């Protein structure tokens, strides 16, 4: 039986997740249950009184070509190890519901193949760059500041997103929750200020044993980008930085190496409506979300 989840299902869902976690991955699972789990958005498949598959559906507003579009975001899908069909049935049911409610569906997953049969396409990708101190010699971190306001961060994000499409709208409630998540993860945040003290970029990072992990870096010009990256080298000799698929850091850091990763799967549920709304002639999700030329951006976990 596929049904809405209850708060009382939390332990059963936790047990499902823990049965799939390998050594060294428990932190990620604990982060989900501490910061992202929302019983009101959970859907489960229950068989003989036992939860055998679970998923969470969050609802966000995407900005696309200046329009605010409601999207259903599928995340945290999990199932009993012994019967994958329970999850297949659950995802089919969720997909059917979202097709009737949302113009666009997203799936944030480490297993993209789970969604291909439902018509989802891997259109959101990002680059994972590995940069060493030797790649950026004789650089300065002048202008980087540890003091800022939430309004400065929100305004910088909005300006940066002017170059992108298909990104989350982040209102102040969203930012408040995001700041709390950064604290939970023990992430630090800095900004770059120009000579007039205006913020032209921000960086969110964590300090690991071997490197600095930059979860998000937003910049309005190359100087802001370089200065903030150089600031990270105050702590370690190596940094890992996540950027969108279309941010080619090799233009300013030729030796930097990167890997391309799928961030999220996407599906336009009604291409006819989408084409009418945007005066397009798209035949699939990839064409629909790229026809205006602006690159896609998504750096979200849920």
């Amino acid at each position: 039986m596929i049904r809405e989840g209850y708060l009382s299902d939390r332990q059963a869902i936790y047990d499902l997740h823990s049965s799939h976690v390998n050594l060294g991955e428990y932190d990620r699972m604990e982060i989900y249950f501490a910061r992202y789990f929302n019983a009101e958005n959970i859907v489960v498949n229950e068989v003989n009184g036992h939860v055998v598959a679970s998923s969470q559906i969050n609802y966000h507003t995407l900005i696309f070509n200046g329009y605010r579009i409601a999207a259903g975001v599928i995340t945290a899908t999990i199932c009993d190890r012994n019967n994958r069909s329970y999850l297949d049935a659950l995802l089919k049911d969720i997909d059917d519901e979202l097709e009737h409610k949302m113009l666009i569906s997203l799936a944030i997953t480490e297993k993209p193949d789970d969604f291909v049969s439902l018509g989802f396409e891997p259109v959101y990708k990002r680059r994972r760059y590995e940069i060493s101190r030797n790649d950026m010699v004789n650089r300065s971190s002048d202008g980087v500041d540890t003091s800022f306001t939430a309004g400065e961060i929100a305004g910088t994000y909005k300006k940066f997103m002017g170059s992108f499409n298909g990104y989350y709208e982040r209102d102040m409630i969203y930012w408040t929750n995001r700041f709390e998540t950064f604290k939970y993860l023990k992430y630090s945040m800095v900004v770059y200020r120009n000579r007039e003290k205006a913020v032209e970029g921000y960086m969110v990072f964590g300090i690991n044993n071997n490197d600095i992990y930059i979860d998000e870096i937003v910049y309005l010009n190359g100087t802001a980008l370089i200065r903030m990256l150089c600031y990270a080298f105050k702590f370690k000799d190596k940094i890992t930085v996540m950027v969108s698929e279309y941010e080619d850091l090799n233009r300013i850091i030729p030796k930097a190496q990167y890997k391309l990763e799928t961030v999220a799967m996407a599906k336009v549920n009604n291409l006819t409506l989408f084409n009418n709304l945007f005066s397009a002639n798209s035949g699939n999700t990839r064409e629909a979300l790229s026809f205006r030329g602006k690159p896609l951006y998504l750096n979200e976990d849920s």
Side-chain angles (χ1 to χ4, degrees):
M1 175 182 67
I2 295 174
R3 61 168 174 80
E4 294 182 357
Y6 310 128
L7 185 58
S8 58
D9 295 320
R10 189 180 190 279
Q11 185 61 53
I13 296 170
Y14 184 95
D15 292 341
L16 281 179
H17 280 269
S18 63
S19 69
H20 286 258
V21 171
N22 297 319
L23 185 65
E25 295 180 340
Y26 278 95
D27 284 350
R28 296 179 62 186
M29 184 185 77
E30 294 296 339
I31 289 168
Y32 166 66
F33 282 96
R35 294 300 308 165
Y36 300 119
F37 180 83
N38 183 348
E40 294 181 356
N41 292 353
I42 291 291
V43 181
V44 302
N45 192 346
E46 181 183 82
V47 176
N48 297 326
H50 298 283
V51 173
V52 293
S54 171
S55 185
Q56 183 166 319
I57 304 98
N58 298 328
Y59 298 93
H60 292 283
T61 299
L62 299 182
I63 304 299
F64 192 83
N65 291 344
Y67 286 79
R68 300 171 73 250
I69 298 176
V73 183
I74 305 169
T75 186
T77 56
I78 198 71
C79 68
D80 186 295
R81 281 182 175 273
N82 298 319
N83 198 328
R84 167 54 199 257
S85 64
Y86 295 140
L87 180 60
D88 292 338
L90 179 63
L91 292 179
K92 180 63 168 61
D93 186 84
I94 291 171
D95 180 55
D96 288 342
E97 180 177 355
L98 291 180
E99 278 190 345
H100 293 89
K101 293 171 57 178
M102 300 289 161
L103 180 58
I104 294 177
S105 296
L106 301 181
I108 297 177
T109 177
E110 294 181 351
K111 297 180 179 179
D113 291 346
D114 289 352
F115 295 88
V116 172
S117 63
L118 298 174
F120 284 72
E121 299 179 43
V123 297
Y124 281 96
K125 297 182 180 181
R126 64 184 175 189
R127 299 186 186 206
R128 177 187 292 268
Y129 273 97
E130 305 291 339
I131 307 172
S132 69
R133 185 188 300 274
N134 293 335
D135 296 333
M136 298 180 63
V137 296
N138 300 323
R139 302 284 190 170
S140 168
S141 61
D142 289 351
V144 175
D145 190 358
T146 58
S147 298
F148 51 84
T149 67
E152 288 176 320
I153 298 299
T156 306
Y157 172 83
K158 187 174 182 178
K159 290 177 183 177
F160 184 64
M161 288 303 113
S163 299
F164 295 95
N165 236 342
Y167 55 91
Y168 278 18
E169 180 182 52
R170 297 183 181 177
D171 58 19
M172 292 311 298
I173 294 176
Y174 183 99
W175 276 112
T176 297
N177 291 332
R178 199 167 179 86
F179 291 146
E180 289 299 317
T181 298
F182 293 158
K183 290 180 182 178
Y184 179 85
L185 297 174
K186 298 181 180 179
Y187 282 175
S188 298
M189 196 168 189
V190 296
V191 299
Y192 169 75
R193 296 184 184 277
N194 61 21
R195 292 180 179 178
E196 289 73 38
K197 304 301 180 183
V199 172
E200 293 184 335
Y202 69 81
M203 178 174 71
V204 181
F205 65 95
I207 301 176
N208 302 319
N209 290 333
N210 299 318
D211 68 354
I212 297 295
Y213 176 78
I214 301 175
D215 180 70
E216 184 165 283
I217 188 164
V218 165
Y219 49 93
L220 304 186
N221 52 60
T223 299
L225 171 63
I226 290 294
R227 297 286 175 86
M228 291 187 293
L229 290 177
C230 287
Y231 180 85
F233 285 119
K234 289 187 174 184
F235 304 97
K236 297 285 183 178
D237 291 332
K238 293 173 58 179
I239 60 176
T240 298
V241 57
M242 310 304 297
V243 295
S244 74
E245 176 185 4
Y246 304 93
E247 293 172 80
D248 184 2
L249 300 190
N250 292 113
R251 293 181 179 180
I252 55 177
I253 314 171
K255 295 181 180 179
Q257 302 293 315
Y258 76 89
K259 294 180 179 179
L260 199 60
E261 303 177 349
T262 297
V263 179
M265 307 290 283
K267 178 182 179 182
V268 175
N269 292 316
N270 189 328
L271 279 169
T272 300
L273 176 59
F274 183 96
N275 288 333
N276 289 338
L277 180 60
F278 295 108
S279 301
N281 189 30
S282 305
N284 55 48
T285 293
R286 184 179 299 277
E287 292 178 3
L289 297 185
S290 63
F291 85 100
R292 283 289 171 86
K294 276 189 176 183
L296 298 174
Y297 182 97
L298 195 71
N299 188 39
E300 321 293 335
D301 296 316
S302 63

